[in-house]
Amino acid sequence: MQVLSVTPEIFPLIKTGGLADVTGALPVALAAKGVTMRTLIPGLPVVMEGFKKKKAVYQYPLLQGGKASIHAVQIAGLDLFVLDAPHLFDRPGGPYGNASGADWPDNWRRFAALSQAGADIAGGAISGYLPDIVHAHDWQSAMTLAYMRYGKAVGTPSMMTVHNLAFQGQFGAGIFGELGLPAVAMALDGVEYYGGVGFLKAGLQAAWAITTVSPTYAQEIRSPEFGMGLDGLINMRSSDLYGIVNGIDTAIWDPESDKHLVSNYTAATLKARAPNRAAVEERFGLDRDDSPIVCVISRLTWQKGMDILATVIDGIVATGARLAILGSGDAGLEGALLAAAARHRGRIGVVIGYDEGLSHTMQGGCDAIIIPSRFEPCGLTQLYGLRYGCVPVVARTGGLADTIIDANEAAMAAGVATGFQFAPNNGGAMLHAIRRLVDAYADPAAFETIQRQGMKADVSWDKSAEKYLELYRLLLSKRVA
């Protein structure tokens, strides 16, 4: 089976969040099941520098304002198609904006081009390659399915995966004339969205199947609270909606071999976590004592519930726990957390920014990780926490609810608890969960049981990849039918 994946990010080449981890790991997991997945990505500078031999397999005299070409390459073990369009992608900054963080004003054009290329490949543009299925990810790739619907690849099965419905790619109606779509596409059942053009909406409308990255999130987005204005369409497509929880790359995230750790360990050698704990204490300026260290590894945003954390942070310190916080985001939230660290020297440490290596060390040295998201399509940091014996304390929403077994009395008695859940958007509930954690930590045997149970959980891609394969087969049967 040949599957074309279209995505704006893929680990380890382009990453701003969990999307890249998924699109980087899924091809490897599916390969073990007989699926060949090739991934189309934008030719950002970091990608173009990754291969020297640039022989195009397809060329565009004009694609969204300039010359462009598609290259078939292998980088970091990934089988890639790269869209080289210097006028769109050869610029400094991140994949979506400049160094100061402002979005590129032509993002609609940039990702329309990526989507056009995806649809062209699906339609047979590249000699010798024709995918059986096209799998698009998030709004930046969603228009691939619209171009397929109104083009040569209308009969090719397609899947749209929503990693976060909050990001939709909404643009003014004035861009429609430059998208290269027929006039009929600017309609309610096409790309039109509240009088403008909706990239994600177009993909949801055109996809043969829609997936989200957890079963609970698939149900949540059918409600106005989580549907972000698209719940009507999603409910209309509910028979084609599936929730498949993400996995993680267990070769990269492995406490027994992780080179980012000061000390490697297994579930049988939890005491070997101590040097990692000491490294966290030193890096974050924390007091060295026997109290639990709770970490935060997150974007510091409203969605992630960081404002709620900031309002109860003094109460968390009062429970006896220490906090190690790594992240960046809203300036106001950064300031609030830094001010809390100044108030509680030795009890709270904050590092503003993103540091992959440090995030591994924190998972390997902290006792717990708190994830207070208002909504969380899947979440990966709680899966890393399970793998590393860093007990997750999570809001009961989306993938967090699907992947963590709360340490209530029954679960503790049965020995199956893997973390602590609390009601989302509720500072009091968050504090209560931290108190429960601190109480459990005071009983070493009970706490180690929670750690070891979490480390036993299957957080790999194997089961998830099997579910994607089942869905691919279902889509192929519909094409044959």
Side-chain angles (χ1 to χ4, degrees), residues 143 169-176 179 186 191-193 195-199:
M143 286 289 285
Q170 298 181 37
F171 304 98
I175 72 166
F176 179 77
L179 292 177
M186 191 58 177
V191 306
E192 187 272 335
Y193 186 54
V197 175
F199 278 35

Side-chain angles (χ1 to χ4, degrees), residues 311-330:
T311 63
V312 300
I313 201 165
D314 296 326
I316 292 175
V317 172
T319 68
R322 293 169 290 166
L323 279 169
I325 301 171
L326 171 66
S328 62
D330 296 344

Side-chain angles (χ1 to χ4, degrees), residues 95-169:
Y96 316 120
N98 58 32
S100 66
D103 285 350
W104 298 114
D106 62 344
N107 271 346
W108 67 269
R109 189 184 297 279
R110 299 170 76 227
F111 295 108
L114 181 70
S115 296
Q116 282 181 272
D120 288 340
I121 296 171
I126 295 176
S127 177
Y129 179 77
L130 192 66
D132 299 300
I133 291 171
V134 175
H135 189 163
H137 298 268
D138 273 356
W139 75 263
Q140 299 93 334
S141 311
M143 286 289 285
T144 302
L145 311 189
Y147 284 113
M148 289 171 61
R149 179 184 176 189
Y150 297 105
K152 294 180 180 178
V154 63
T156 301
S158 61
M159 182 186 297
M160 180 77 239
T161 294
V162 179
H163 297 263
N164 192 334
L165 196 68
F167 304 106
Q168 300 184 3

Side-chain angles (χ1 to χ4, degrees), residues 131-440:
D132 299 300
I133 291 171
V134 175
H135 189 163
H137 298 268
D138 273 356
W139 75 263
Q140 299 93 334
S141 311
M143 286 289 285
T144 302
L145 311 189
Y147 284 113
M148 289 171 61
R149 179 184 176 189
Y150 297 105
K152 294 180 180 178
V154 63
T156 301
S158 61
M159 182 186 297
M160 180 77 239
T161 294
V162 179
H163 297 263
N164 192 334
L165 196 68
F167 304 106
Q168 300 184 3
Q170 298 181 37
F171 304 98
I175 72 166
F176 179 77
E178 298 186 63
L179 292 177
L181 288 167
V184 68
M186 191 58 177
L188 183 61
D189 68 346
V191 306
E192 187 272 335
Y193 186 54
Y194 289 105
V197 175
F199 278 35
L200 180 60
K201 184 265 184 181
L204 294 172
Q205 192 80 52
W208 288 35
I210 300 166
T211 67
T212 68
V213 287
S214 73
T216 294
Y217 191 60
Q219 293 307 308
E220 287 176 340
I221 62 174
R222 296 180 64 181
S223 69
E225 180 183 1
F226 294 96
M228 306 289 176
L230 286 166
D231 48 290
L233 171 57
I234 291 164
N235 277 299
M236 187 180 72
R237 300 294 317 274
S238 61
S239 62
D240 302 311
L241 177 65
Y242 304 84
I244 303 175
V245 72
N246 285 336
I248 63 173
D249 189 328
T250 53
I252 293 174
W253 290 92
D254 182 1
E256 190 172 6
S257 60
D258 192 334
K259 294 180 181 178
H260 294 296
L261 300 184
V262 178
S263 174
N264 295 112
Y265 61 93
T266 67
T269 59
L270 287 173
K271 285 183 172 56
R273 297 179 90 248
N276 302 317
R277 178 188 182 90
V280 171
E281 289 171 334
E282 181 177 355
R283 180 69 179 86
F284 287 88
L286 298 177
D287 295 338
R288 300 205 170 196
D289 58 37
D290 294 330
S291 62
I293 303 176
V294 179
C295 68
V296 174
I297 305 169
S298 177
R299 295 195 307 275
L300 305 181
T301 64
W302 179 89
Q303 182 215 320
K304 298 296 183 180
M306 289 298 119
D307 57 319
I308 306 170
L309 176 72
T311 63
V312 300
I313 201 165
D314 296 326
I316 292 175
V317 172
T319 68
R322 293 169 290 166
L323 279 169
I325 301 171
L326 171 66
S328 62
D330 296 344
L333 290 174
E334 291 180 1
L337 296 174
L338 287 168
R343 287 197 306 274
H344 300 285
R345 295 191 184 279
R347 309 310 297 174
I348 301 175
V350 177
V351 173
I352 299 298
Y354 177 75
D355 186 324
E356 182 78 13
L358 180 57
S359 72
H360 284 243
T361 303
M362 293 168 74
Q363 295 278 16
C366 294
D367 302 293
I369 180 167
I370 186 164
I371 308 169
S373 305
R374 281 184 166 85
F375 62 94
E376 193 62 68
C378 178
L380 295 176
T381 51
Q382 85 276 14
L383 302 182
Y384 303 146
L386 290 173
R387 180 84 164 144
Y388 279 59
C390 183
V391 176
V393 183
V394 304
R396 193 181 301 108
T397 186
L400 302 176
D402 290 330
T403 54
I404 304 303
I405 301 173
D406 181 67
N408 57 49
E409 187 174 344
M412 290 293 284
V416 297
T418 60
F420 298 85
Q421 292 188 2
F422 59 90
N425 201 19
N426 188 318
M430 186 193 309
L431 264 179
H432 179 60
I434 294 293
R435 291 191 192 100
R436 292 169 60 208
L437 167 77
V438 172
D439 289 345

